[in-house]
Amino acid sequence: MPGMFIDVQVDAKVAADAALAKKLVDVCPVNIFAQDGGLRIVEENLDECVLCELCIQAAPGGVRVVKLYDTE
Ligand code: SF4
C-alpha cells in the first residue's frame, strides 16, 4: 500500500495574524501548529494529521491540508 504524507500550508497573512495563529495552535489535536514568534508548522508532527479539517474551519481559505502519496 502506498504511503501517504501530509503537507500543511498556511498563507503568510494567516501566519502573521497572531489571533488566528493562536486559534490554529488551539484547534489542531495533534499539535501541528506552534507559535514561537510567528506561526510554525511542526514538521515532525505532520504524519499525525487526522484530516479533521479543524484548521481549515478555523482559517477558511488560509490553510491547506495537502495529501501527498508515495507512489513507489
Ligand atoms: S486537519 Fe486537523 S489534525 Fe490535520 S493539521 Fe488540521 S487541525 Fe491538525
Side-chain angles (χ1 to χ4, degrees):
M1 205 176 89
M4 189 178 78
F5 300 92
I6 302 291
D7 191 28
V8 175
Q9 300 165 353
V10 179
D11 278 3
K13 63 175 182 297
V14 171
D17 181 329
L20 212 44
K22 183 180 184 304
K23 213 163 132 189
L24 289 173
V25 173
D26 289 345
V27 295
C28 180
V30 295
N31 300 319
I32 283 171
F33 304 96
Q35 214 172 4
D36 45 11
L39 184 70
R40 184 170 64 87
I41 301 294
V42 183
E43 306 276 344
E44 60 269 35
N45 290 351
L46 278 175
D47 59 353
E48 307 287 326
C49 176
V50 291
L51 302 172
C52 66
E53 300 193 354
L54 288 173
C55 55
I56 294 168
Q57 288 159 23
V63 178
R64 280 170 305 282
V65 177
V66 185
K67 290 170 225 171
L68 307 166
Y69 293 91
D70 177 3
T71 50
E72 282 184 82

